[in-house]
Amino acid sequence: MAGQLHHVIQRGNNRQPVFVSVADRERFLAILVHCAAQFGLTVHGYVLMDNHFHLLVTPASTDALPKTMQAIGRQYVSYFNRAHAHSGSLWEGRYRSTVLQPQRHLLACMAFLDLNPVRAGLVEKASEYPWSSHAHYTGLRHDRWLSVPALVWEMGNTPFARESAYRDLIELGLTPQQEAELAESVLHGWVLGDDAFLAALQRDTPRRLRPAAPGRPRRQPLI
């Protein structure tokens, strides 16, 4: 959906590693930057794990996200196969994604990405992991290709204030419910947002945007 915030995940086939070296991660990010600029995909955040990656993006058109992901897939797989004498499928099928209402879920999703290495036991703190956008938002590194969302700009009047507020946000962490919502939504494609947000999106697509209510369908009265 053009102009909407998307949470994207792509996993390795059978959970196999898709990044095994620093060079792999550097090449992937270079490909991401090039393809996103080519097809009109704005990147707000990312995390590269060993066997999968997450992106937080906004596509400028309906085909910006699929074209970017297809191009990344082809170019990175070609590199990976050459670099590691690998053959066969690298990815676990098509990428998965969902739309998030920014006002309710953008900052939580950024924390979800930053804390992924912590949940996986790779580091104790998000700041210790170099392969995510956390360093950019806390002033440890400047990634010029990342687009800072409006809600982050509103976290403070100066870079120092925004970076401090962002660090506090990550240290606060997420509730188990938030983690479950963000994980389930991206894996199943369910939109996260309030009723008004979903209703506005539903007018533009026939696809169901959230899970059906539990229980049997209500019987219609006989007329």
Side-chain angles (χ1 to χ4, degrees):
M1 296 181 182
Q4 299 293 341
L5 181 70
H6 286 66
H7 177 197
V8 180
I9 183 173
Q10 177 70 288
R11 299 194 291 200
N13 190 35
N14 294 323
R15 303 295 179 94
Q16 71 182 32
V18 295
F19 307 111
V20 296
S21 69
V22 169
D24 291 349
R25 290 168 167 83
E26 290 176 342
R27 177 61 66 91
F28 179 87
L29 291 176
I31 293 172
L32 169 62
V33 172
H34 173 76
C35 294
Q38 180 180 4
F39 295 110
L41 187 71
T42 299
V43 183
H44 308 293
Y46 70 91
V47 62
L48 309 184
M49 304 296 288
D50 290 341
N51 62 7
H52 69 282
F53 65 86
H54 293 261
L55 303 176
L56 191 60
V57 299
T58 299
S61 63
T62 56
D63 59 359
L65 179 57
K67 284 187 174 181
T68 300
M69 295 301 292
Q70 289 166 10
I72 290 173
R74 288 193 301 268
Q75 294 181 34
Y76 183 72
V77 169
S78 177
Y79 154 79
F80 189 90
N81 288 348
R82 292 194 311 270
H84 302 290
H86 179 270
S87 61
S89 177
L90 181 63
W91 306 116
E92 183 187 66
R94 188 179 182 273
Y95 69 91
R96 302 188 183 197
S97 68
T98 194
V99 172
L100 307 177
Q101 183 178 5
Q103 292 81 358
R104 294 172 68 95
H105 298 289
L106 180 140
L107 295 177
C109 193
M110 293 180 74
F112 183 82
L113 268 59
D114 286 358
L115 293 170
N116 209 333
V118 178
R119 290 192 298 272
L122 300 179
V123 293
E124 292 186 2
K125 297 180 179 180
S127 58
E128 298 171 354
Y129 194 73
W131 303 109
S132 79
S133 48
H134 177 82
H136 175 79
Y137 287 102
T138 55
L140 300 175
R141 187 182 68 238
H142 181 55
D143 294 329
R144 290 183 296 175
W145 54 276
L146 285 174
S147 177
V148 179
L151 286 177
V152 175
W153 284 107
E154 295 172 5
M155 296 178 76
N157 293 326
T158 67
F160 177 82
R162 289 190 292 272
E163 291 157 7
S164 178
Y166 189 83
R167 282 193 295 270
D168 291 343
L169 171 75
I170 302 306
E171 289 179 7
L172 181 63
L174 299 172
T175 66
Q177 180 180 352
Q178 286 176 308
E179 291 183 359
E181 284 181 343
L182 288 162
E184 290 298 311
S185 65
V186 70
L187 291 177
H188 298 288
W190 303 125
V191 172
L192 277 185
D194 61 27
D195 290 343
F197 181 75
L198 269 74
L201 292 183
Q202 193 69 78
R203 288 194 291 268
D204 297 325
T205 178
R207 182 176 72 85
R208 180 184 291 172
L209 301 180
R210 66 171 131 196
R216 293 182 177 182
R218 182 180 298 174
R219 293 185 61 185
Q220 297 297 320
L222 298 177
I223 298 179

